[in-house]
Amino acid sequence: MMFFQPLRGKGAPTLVDQVAQALQAAMESQLLRPGMAVPSVRQFARTHGLSTFTVAAAYGRLVAQGWLAARPGSAYRVASRAAARPAAADAPWRPPKMGESWLLADVFADHSIPIKSGCGWLPSEWLNEAGLQQSLRQLARVPAAQIAGYGHPYGYAPLREHMLQVLAERGVTAQPSQIVLTQGATQALDIVIRTLFRAGDVVLVELPCYANLLPCLRLAGLEILGVPRSAEGLCIDTLQRLAASRSVKGLFVNTVLHNPTGASLSMANAFQVLQVAERHGFWVIEDDVSRDLLPGIGPMLLALAGTRRVVHVSGFSKSITPSVRVGYIVAAQELATAFVRTRMAMSLTPAEMLERMVYQVLRQGRHQAHLARVRDRLGEAHETLCGLMDSHGFEVFARPGAGLFLWARPAGRWRERGAARLAEIALRDGIWLAPGGYFDPAGADAGWLRFNVAYSLDPLLWKFMRRVGAAA
């Protein structure tokens, strides 16, 4: 692509802007015509001496604007003119109304927001599309008689057997009857809540905590108390005090790559949490949905304490795709039986077609290579985003260097005005931010925001922050 020559130096547009503008000009002049493939991200970056993230951000912007069609695993192609240019009669875009309902429900169906800095999933172009397509082709060859029924109450047996091998590699010994498949990790949490607790029970959550957990706990009529979380883990003094003064029944915790802060428990903190739970006799529900995005090894409460005290919940939305709603619970055998009864009362058997699809993806050799690439890309995005936050005066809670999330807050007046107000204004510019109040049982707003590192490198996001005075 010889029509692009990057400009550098003071006063030059950002490299992302330059790449996007050059490609758009080439498409408008018909140098690149609808249906033509553009160079891969790596090829373009190598040819022009750019970061792959610079090129990926530019391509992502052009996909969002309709100029390019994303073909992960194959190529980006120039979109048709109809896709690239909306009809003149289209109604002007209006931002949705910000609120808890939109963040926790409507947002999953709202594709109008161009910059999804507050979302909780990987970009579609990062997914293992080739593996998913191969899995679908294999499913299409399964005789109808084998998939006509409701499936097994515990879930698809080959997938549960595969998970036993994965758990064994992580130091966990279990039996097939201790694994219960569910329709996503959030349903797994709901099943655990409905089975273990009754209205009025006291449960502990992290401050901040996974936003979608809170409505599940409220619907069950539970009393929710918070335990502050630092970059190293839970505040043990607060945990001990609450456990000693209240009849605590359970603790919900993200062991690694915490949603929303991105932090992981230290090994010492993990042991201390388990010691308090053992001393006071409450359940520890370990939400471990992001472990596949963790490079190396991190503490796993299930491996440290076994199923006598720990109920382990996880799923595949972060490592495969959010639309494949398959999760699982690992628990003591008698508890697993109770979880199956609850799940059957809620929704009968799980979705075996999706479970078969996950199994086919996991058993492909390419899946581990795909995860390695995703971890590398997330690591690079963390480094770049932390640099942007530092240069804009943001306070960064923790610097995990891995996973989807960073927890940060802007400087100056916005700490007093609150993240919710900033998020409302950002929506007018087509930017989705996730304010910290949604991750707090009391809705406290101290200015913190959850940033998805894969969606937060767009220069327009940081241009907005500078314009509204959120940058130092």
mmCIF file of all heavy atoms in Angstrom, residues 106-144:
data_model
loop_
_atom_site.group_PDB
_atom_site.id
_atom_site.type_symbol
_atom_site.label_atom_id
_atom_site.label_comp_id
_atom_site.label_asym_id
_atom_site.label_seq_id
_atom_site.Cartn_x
_atom_site.Cartn_y
_atom_site.Cartn_z
ATOM 1 N N ASP A 106 -29.812 -3.895 28.516
ATOM 2 C CA ASP A 106 -30.016 -3.365 27.170
ATOM 3 C C ASP A 106 -28.728 -3.261 26.376
ATOM 4 O O ASP A 106 -28.722 -3.371 25.154
ATOM 5 C CB ASP A 106 -30.667 -1.977 27.248
ATOM 6 C CG ASP A 106 -32.020 -2.018 27.936
ATOM 7 O OD1 ASP A 106 -32.598 -3.112 27.988
ATOM 8 O OD2 ASP A 106 -32.472 -0.983 28.434
ATOM 9 N N VAL A 107 -27.613 -3.037 27.056
ATOM 10 C CA VAL A 107 -26.350 -2.836 26.354
ATOM 11 C C VAL A 107 -25.961 -4.036 25.502
ATOM 12 O O VAL A 107 -25.303 -3.898 24.469
ATOM 13 C CB VAL A 107 -25.232 -2.502 27.364
ATOM 14 C CG1 VAL A 107 -24.921 -3.689 28.238
ATOM 15 C CG2 VAL A 107 -23.985 -2.039 26.650
ATOM 16 N N PHE A 108 -26.385 -5.233 25.911
ATOM 17 C CA PHE A 108 -25.987 -6.417 25.164
ATOM 18 C C PHE A 108 -26.659 -6.483 23.794
ATOM 19 O O PHE A 108 -26.197 -7.194 22.908
ATOM 20 C CB PHE A 108 -26.314 -7.671 25.975
ATOM 21 C CG PHE A 108 -25.499 -7.768 27.236
ATOM 22 C CD1 PHE A 108 -26.054 -7.463 28.461
ATOM 23 C CD2 PHE A 108 -24.167 -8.118 27.197
ATOM 24 C CE1 PHE A 108 -25.298 -7.519 29.617
ATOM 25 C CE2 PHE A 108 -23.398 -8.179 28.337
ATOM 26 C CZ PHE A 108 -23.968 -7.877 29.560
ATOM 27 N N ALA A 109 -27.769 -5.737 23.634
ATOM 28 C CA ALA A 109 -28.444 -5.705 22.340
ATOM 29 C C ALA A 109 -28.211 -4.381 21.615
ATOM 30 O O ALA A 109 -28.710 -4.184 20.518
ATOM 31 C CB ALA A 109 -29.948 -5.924 22.522
ATOM 32 N N ASP A 110 -27.471 -3.461 22.240
ATOM 33 C CA ASP A 110 -27.274 -2.128 21.676
ATOM 34 C C ASP A 110 -25.936 -2.084 20.932
ATOM 35 O O ASP A 110 -24.875 -2.077 21.542
ATOM 36 C CB ASP A 110 -27.290 -1.094 22.808
ATOM 37 C CG ASP A 110 -27.341 0.334 22.272
ATOM 38 O OD1 ASP A 110 -26.988 0.536 21.095
ATOM 39 O OD2 ASP A 110 -27.739 1.237 23.026
ATOM 40 N N HIS A 111 -26.021 -2.069 19.593
ATOM 41 C CA HIS A 111 -24.799 -2.057 18.783
ATOM 42 C C HIS A 111 -24.516 -0.671 18.214
ATOM 43 O O HIS A 111 -23.703 -0.522 17.310
ATOM 44 C CB HIS A 111 -24.927 -3.067 17.637
ATOM 45 C CG HIS A 111 -25.163 -4.470 18.111
ATOM 46 N ND1 HIS A 111 -24.200 -5.218 18.749
ATOM 47 C CD2 HIS A 111 -26.273 -5.252 18.061
ATOM 48 C CE1 HIS A 111 -24.692 -6.404 19.063
ATOM 49 N NE2 HIS A 111 -25.946 -6.447 18.668
ATOM 50 N N SER A 112 -25.203 0.355 18.752
ATOM 51 C CA SER A 112 -25.072 1.692 18.178
ATOM 52 C C SER A 112 -23.863 2.457 18.703
ATOM 53 O O SER A 112 -23.501 3.475 18.134
ATOM 54 C CB SER A 112 -26.341 2.494 18.480
ATOM 55 O OG SER A 112 -26.470 2.732 19.875
ATOM 56 N N ILE A 113 -23.248 1.990 19.789
ATOM 57 C CA ILE A 113 -22.159 2.738 20.406
ATOM 58 C C ILE A 113 -20.850 2.425 19.672
ATOM 59 O O ILE A 113 -20.392 1.286 19.684
ATOM 60 C CB ILE A 113 -22.014 2.383 21.895
ATOM 61 C CG1 ILE A 113 -23.361 2.494 22.603
ATOM 62 C CG2 ILE A 113 -20.983 3.268 22.557
ATOM 63 C CD1 ILE A 113 -23.952 3.867 22.590
ATOM 64 N N PRO A 114 -20.217 3.415 19.040
ATOM 65 C CA PRO A 114 -18.987 3.130 18.278
ATOM 66 C C PRO A 114 -17.801 2.711 19.147
ATOM 67 O O PRO A 114 -17.038 1.837 18.775
ATOM 68 C CB PRO A 114 -18.709 4.456 17.564
ATOM 69 C CG PRO A 114 -20.005 5.208 17.581
ATOM 70 C CD PRO A 114 -20.688 4.802 18.843
ATOM 71 N N ILE A 115 -17.631 3.364 20.305
ATOM 72 C CA ILE A 115 -16.455 3.099 21.148
ATOM 73 C C ILE A 115 -16.935 2.450 22.442
ATOM 74 O O ILE A 115 -17.512 3.103 23.302
ATOM 75 C CB ILE A 115 -15.676 4.397 21.442
ATOM 76 C CG1 ILE A 115 -15.237 5.054 20.130
ATOM 77 C CG2 ILE A 115 -14.470 4.103 22.327
ATOM 78 C CD1 ILE A 115 -14.582 6.400 20.307
ATOM 79 N N LYS A 116 -16.688 1.142 22.586
ATOM 80 C CA LYS A 116 -17.245 0.365 23.696
ATOM 81 C C LYS A 116 -16.207 0.165 24.804
ATOM 82 O O LYS A 116 -15.892 -0.958 25.180
ATOM 83 C CB LYS A 116 -17.756 -0.974 23.180
ATOM 84 C CG LYS A 116 -18.858 -0.855 22.120
ATOM 85 C CD LYS A 116 -19.268 -2.224 21.613
ATOM 86 C CE LYS A 116 -20.403 -2.125 20.605
ATOM 87 N NZ LYS A 116 -20.017 -1.393 19.383
ATOM 88 N N SER A 117 -15.688 1.257 25.325
ATOM 89 C CA SER A 117 -14.636 1.170 26.325
ATOM 90 C C SER A 117 -15.095 0.476 27.605
ATOM 91 O O SER A 117 -14.286 -0.090 28.336
ATOM 92 C CB SER A 117 -14.135 2.577 26.660
ATOM 93 O OG SER A 117 -13.103 2.536 27.602
ATOM 94 N N GLY A 118 -16.400 0.505 27.881
ATOM 95 C CA GLY A 118 -16.898 -0.088 29.117
ATOM 96 C C GLY A 118 -17.407 -1.500 29.005
ATOM 97 O O GLY A 118 -17.918 -2.051 29.984
ATOM 98 N N CYS A 119 -17.283 -2.130 27.840
ATOM 99 C CA CYS A 119 -17.880 -3.461 27.668
ATOM 100 C C CYS A 119 -17.025 -4.533 28.338
ATOM 101 O O CYS A 119 -15.918 -4.278 28.796
ATOM 102 C CB CYS A 119 -18.101 -3.769 26.189
ATOM 103 S SG CYS A 119 -16.610 -4.238 25.292
ATOM 104 N N GLY A 120 -17.554 -5.754 28.376
ATOM 105 C CA GLY A 120 -16.885 -6.829 29.106
ATOM 106 C C GLY A 120 -16.453 -8.000 28.263
ATOM 107 O O GLY A 120 -16.316 -9.109 28.783
ATOM 108 N N TRP A 121 -16.222 -7.795 26.970
ATOM 109 C CA TRP A 121 -15.875 -8.911 26.098
ATOM 110 C C TRP A 121 -14.777 -8.504 25.110
ATOM 111 O O TRP A 121 -14.470 -7.338 24.930
ATOM 112 C CB TRP A 121 -17.109 -9.392 25.330
ATOM 113 C CG TRP A 121 -17.849 -8.303 24.606
ATOM 114 C CD1 TRP A 121 -17.572 -7.783 23.385
ATOM 115 C CD2 TRP A 121 -18.996 -7.584 25.083
ATOM 116 N NE1 TRP A 121 -18.470 -6.796 23.061
ATOM 117 C CE2 TRP A 121 -19.362 -6.648 24.082
ATOM 118 C CE3 TRP A 121 -19.762 -7.645 26.256
ATOM 119 C CZ2 TRP A 121 -20.443 -5.785 24.224
ATOM 120 C CZ3 TRP A 121 -20.841 -6.773 26.389
ATOM 121 C CH2 TRP A 121 -21.170 -5.874 25.385
ATOM 122 N N LEU A 122 -14.204 -9.506 24.469
ATOM 123 C CA LEU A 122 -13.163 -9.279 23.464
ATOM 124 C C LEU A 122 -13.776 -8.753 22.169
ATOM 125 O O LEU A 122 -14.922 -9.081 21.831
ATOM 126 C CB LEU A 122 -12.418 -10.582 23.161
ATOM 127 C CG LEU A 122 -11.478 -11.121 24.242
ATOM 128 C CD1 LEU A 122 -11.044 -12.539 23.881
ATOM 129 C CD2 LEU A 122 -10.263 -10.216 24.408
ATOM 130 N N PRO A 123 -13.030 -7.974 21.389
ATOM 131 C CA PRO A 123 -13.514 -7.562 20.062
ATOM 132 C C PRO A 123 -13.751 -8.777 19.174
ATOM 133 O O PRO A 123 -13.036 -9.785 19.270
ATOM 134 C CB PRO A 123 -12.363 -6.706 19.518
ATOM 135 C CG PRO A 123 -11.571 -6.288 20.715
ATOM 136 C CD PRO A 123 -11.710 -7.408 21.706
ATOM 137 N N SER A 124 -14.745 -8.673 18.317
ATOM 138 C CA SER A 124 -15.085 -9.814 17.458
ATOM 139 C C SER A 124 -13.909 -10.226 16.578
ATOM 140 O O SER A 124 -13.722 -11.412 16.302
ATOM 141 C CB SER A 124 -16.296 -9.472 16.583
ATOM 142 O OG SER A 124 -16.020 -8.323 15.780
ATOM 143 N N GLU A 125 -13.080 -9.250 16.164
ATOM 144 C CA GLU A 125 -11.956 -9.600 15.290
ATOM 145 C C GLU A 125 -10.832 -10.314 16.041
ATOM 146 O O GLU A 125 -9.900 -10.814 15.420
ATOM 147 C CB GLU A 125 -11.416 -8.352 14.578
ATOM 148 C CG GLU A 125 -10.920 -7.260 15.486
ATOM 149 C CD GLU A 125 -11.994 -6.226 15.782
ATOM 150 O OE1 GLU A 125 -13.195 -6.568 15.725
ATOM 151 O OE2 GLU A 125 -11.625 -5.073 16.082
ATOM 152 N N TRP A 126 -10.914 -10.378 17.368
ATOM 153 C CA TRP A 126 -9.933 -11.122 18.155
ATOM 154 C C TRP A 126 -10.337 -12.578 18.353
ATOM 155 O O TRP A 126 -9.555 -13.360 18.874
ATOM 156 C CB TRP A 126 -9.768 -10.471 19.533
ATOM 157 C CG TRP A 126 -9.043 -9.168 19.552
ATOM 158 C CD1 TRP A 126 -9.036 -8.211 18.573
ATOM 159 C CD2 TRP A 126 -8.231 -8.662 20.606
ATOM 160 N NE1 TRP A 126 -8.280 -7.132 18.958
ATOM 161 C CE2 TRP A 126 -7.767 -7.382 20.214
ATOM 162 C CE3 TRP A 126 -7.860 -9.145 21.855
ATOM 163 C CZ2 TRP A 126 -6.957 -6.593 21.023
ATOM 164 C CZ3 TRP A 126 -7.049 -8.364 22.661
ATOM 165 C CH2 TRP A 126 -6.602 -7.104 22.244
ATOM 166 N N LEU A 127 -11.537 -12.938 17.993
ATOM 167 C CA LEU A 127 -12.035 -14.282 18.271
ATOM 168 C C LEU A 127 -11.427 -15.310 17.319
ATOM 169 O O LEU A 127 -10.950 -14.979 16.228
ATOM 170 C CB LEU A 127 -13.564 -14.314 18.158
ATOM 171 C CG LEU A 127 -14.315 -13.376 19.103
ATOM 172 C CD1 LEU A 127 -15.817 -13.456 18.855
ATOM 173 C CD2 LEU A 127 -14.001 -13.713 20.565
ATOM 174 N N ASN A 128 -11.483 -16.555 17.737
ATOM 175 C CA ASN A 128 -10.967 -17.667 16.941
ATOM 176 C C ASN A 128 -12.041 -18.099 15.948
ATOM 177 O O ASN A 128 -12.679 -19.133 16.112
ATOM 178 C CB ASN A 128 -10.575 -18.821 17.874
ATOM 179 C CG ASN A 128 -10.029 -20.019 17.125
ATOM 180 O OD1 ASN A 128 -9.723 -19.945 15.935
ATOM 181 N ND2 ASN A 128 -9.926 -21.145 17.821
ATOM 182 N N GLU A 129 -12.226 -17.278 14.909
ATOM 183 C CA GLU A 129 -13.315 -17.558 13.977
ATOM 184 C C GLU A 129 -13.093 -18.876 13.240
ATOM 185 O O GLU A 129 -14.031 -19.638 13.014
ATOM 186 C CB GLU A 129 -13.471 -16.427 12.964
ATOM 187 C CG GLU A 129 -14.624 -16.671 11.997
ATOM 188 C CD GLU A 129 -14.890 -15.486 11.087
ATOM 189 O OE1 GLU A 129 -14.616 -14.344 11.485
ATOM 190 O OE2 GLU A 129 -15.375 -15.716 9.965
ATOM 191 N N ALA A 130 -11.850 -19.161 12.867
ATOM 192 C CA ALA A 130 -11.579 -20.410 12.144
ATOM 193 C C ALA A 130 -11.953 -21.614 13.004
ATOM 194 O O ALA A 130 -12.554 -22.583 12.521
ATOM 195 C CB ALA A 130 -10.105 -20.467 11.752
ATOM 196 N N GLY A 131 -11.604 -21.561 14.290
ATOM 197 C CA GLY A 131 -11.958 -22.669 15.180
ATOM 198 C C GLY A 131 -13.450 -22.802 15.360
ATOM 199 O O GLY A 131 -13.991 -23.920 15.397
ATOM 200 N N LEU A 132 -14.160 -21.681 15.472
ATOM 201 C CA LEU A 132 -15.614 -21.723 15.614
ATOM 202 C C LEU A 132 -16.269 -22.286 14.353
ATOM 203 O O LEU A 132 -17.206 -23.094 14.436
ATOM 204 C CB LEU A 132 -16.147 -20.321 15.914
ATOM 205 C CG LEU A 132 -15.792 -19.748 17.290
ATOM 206 C CD1 LEU A 132 -16.147 -18.265 17.353
ATOM 207 C CD2 LEU A 132 -16.527 -20.510 18.379
ATOM 208 N N GLN A 133 -15.779 -21.860 13.194
ATOM 209 C CA GLN A 133 -16.353 -22.368 11.940
ATOM 210 C C GLN A 133 -16.115 -23.863 11.793
ATOM 211 O O GLN A 133 -17.006 -24.612 11.373
ATOM 212 C CB GLN A 133 -15.743 -21.610 10.750
ATOM 213 C CG GLN A 133 -16.101 -20.133 10.685
ATOM 214 C CD GLN A 133 -17.552 -19.898 10.313
ATOM 215 O OE1 GLN A 133 -18.301 -20.825 10.041
ATOM 216 N NE2 GLN A 133 -17.967 -18.643 10.305
ATOM 217 N N GLN A 134 -14.923 -24.307 12.151
ATOM 218 C CA GLN A 134 -14.644 -25.745 12.073
ATOM 219 C C GLN A 134 -15.538 -26.521 13.026
ATOM 220 O O GLN A 134 -16.057 -27.592 12.681
ATOM 221 C CB GLN A 134 -13.180 -26.013 12.408
ATOM 222 C CG GLN A 134 -12.800 -27.492 12.331
ATOM 223 C CD GLN A 134 -11.335 -27.720 12.638
ATOM 224 O OE1 GLN A 134 -10.519 -26.800 12.562
ATOM 225 N NE2 GLN A 134 -10.966 -28.935 12.995
ATOM 226 N N SER A 135 -15.749 -25.985 14.220
ATOM 227 C CA SER A 135 -16.623 -26.638 15.187
ATOM 228 C C SER A 135 -18.042 -26.747 14.662
ATOM 229 O O SER A 135 -18.701 -27.791 14.805
ATOM 230 C CB SER A 135 -16.602 -25.865 16.504
ATOM 231 O OG SER A 135 -17.497 -26.414 17.433
ATOM 232 N N LEU A 136 -18.531 -25.687 14.021
ATOM 233 C CA LEU A 136 -19.887 -25.718 13.465
ATOM 234 C C LEU A 136 -20.005 -26.742 12.344
ATOM 235 O O LEU A 136 -21.030 -27.437 12.223
ATOM 236 C CB LEU A 136 -20.265 -24.322 12.952
ATOM 237 C CG LEU A 136 -20.539 -23.268 14.034
ATOM 238 C CD1 LEU A 136 -20.654 -21.887 13.405
ATOM 239 C CD2 LEU A 136 -21.812 -23.613 14.789
ATOM 240 N N ARG A 137 -18.965 -26.842 11.524
ATOM 241 C CA ARG A 137 -19.002 -27.839 10.445
ATOM 242 C C ARG A 137 -19.048 -29.257 11.020
ATOM 243 O O ARG A 137 -19.762 -30.127 10.504
ATOM 244 C CB ARG A 137 -17.782 -27.676 9.532
ATOM 245 C CG ARG A 137 -17.834 -26.438 8.646
ATOM 246 C CD ARG A 137 -16.776 -26.494 7.561
ATOM 247 N NE ARG A 137 -15.437 -26.449 8.108
ATOM 248 C CZ ARG A 137 -14.756 -25.316 8.322
ATOM 249 N NH1 ARG A 137 -15.311 -24.147 8.057
ATOM 250 N NH2 ARG A 137 -13.532 -25.356 8.810
ATOM 251 N N GLN A 138 -18.294 -29.495 12.086
ATOM 252 C CA GLN A 138 -18.312 -30.820 12.716
ATOM 253 C C GLN A 138 -19.668 -31.112 13.335
ATOM 254 O O GLN A 138 -20.174 -32.244 13.251
ATOM 255 C CB GLN A 138 -17.202 -30.904 13.765
ATOM 256 C CG GLN A 138 -15.807 -30.908 13.166
ATOM 257 C CD GLN A 138 -14.708 -30.737 14.208
ATOM 258 O OE1 GLN A 138 -14.916 -30.115 15.249
ATOM 259 N NE2 GLN A 138 -13.535 -31.273 13.927
ATOM 260 N N LEU A 139 -20.291 -30.091 13.939
ATOM 261 C CA LEU A 139 -21.623 -30.288 14.521
ATOM 262 C C LEU A 139 -22.651 -30.622 13.447
ATOM 263 O O LEU A 139 -23.576 -31.392 13.683
ATOM 264 C CB LEU A 139 -22.064 -29.026 15.266
ATOM 265 C CG LEU A 139 -21.512 -28.817 16.669
ATOM 266 C CD1 LEU A 139 -22.003 -27.499 17.235
ATOM 267 C CD2 LEU A 139 -21.933 -29.958 17.580
ATOM 268 N N ALA A 140 -22.481 -30.018 12.261
ATOM 269 C CA ALA A 140 -23.446 -30.250 11.192
ATOM 270 C C ALA A 140 -23.445 -31.707 10.740
ATOM 271 O O ALA A 140 -24.418 -32.181 10.137
ATOM 272 C CB ALA A 140 -23.144 -29.336 10.007
ATOM 273 N N ARG A 141 -22.366 -32.437 11.026
ATOM 274 C CA ARG A 141 -22.286 -33.843 10.610
ATOM 275 C C ARG A 141 -22.813 -34.806 11.681
ATOM 276 O O ARG A 141 -22.833 -36.009 11.464
ATOM 277 C CB ARG A 141 -20.832 -34.187 10.269
ATOM 278 C CG ARG A 141 -20.308 -33.446 9.040
ATOM 279 C CD ARG A 141 -19.015 -34.068 8.541
ATOM 280 N NE ARG A 141 -17.904 -33.799 9.437
ATOM 281 C CZ ARG A 141 -17.086 -32.755 9.310
ATOM 282 N NH1 ARG A 141 -17.273 -31.877 8.333
ATOM 283 N NH2 ARG A 141 -16.084 -32.567 10.156
ATOM 284 N N VAL A 142 -23.215 -34.281 12.850
ATOM 285 C CA VAL A 142 -23.741 -35.149 13.906
ATOM 286 C C VAL A 142 -25.146 -35.601 13.525
ATOM 287 O O VAL A 142 -25.994 -34.776 13.173
ATOM 288 C CB VAL A 142 -23.783 -34.398 15.256
ATOM 289 C CG1 VAL A 142 -24.413 -35.272 16.335
ATOM 290 C CG2 VAL A 142 -22.376 -33.974 15.668
ATOM 291 N N PRO A 143 -25.433 -36.904 13.561
ATOM 292 C CA PRO A 143 -26.784 -37.384 13.230
ATOM 293 C C PRO A 143 -27.837 -36.739 14.127
ATOM 294 O O PRO A 143 -27.624 -36.546 15.331
ATOM 295 C CB PRO A 143 -26.691 -38.893 13.487
ATOM 296 C CG PRO A 143 -25.238 -39.215 13.374
ATOM 297 C CD PRO A 143 -24.516 -38.018 13.869
ATOM 298 N N ALA A 144 -28.965 -36.404 13.524
ATOM 299 C CA ALA A 144 -30.032 -35.721 14.260
ATOM 300 C C ALA A 144 -30.494 -36.520 15.474
ATOM 301 O O ALA A 144 -30.861 -35.946 16.505
ATOM 302 C CB ALA A 144 -31.205 -35.446 13.333
#
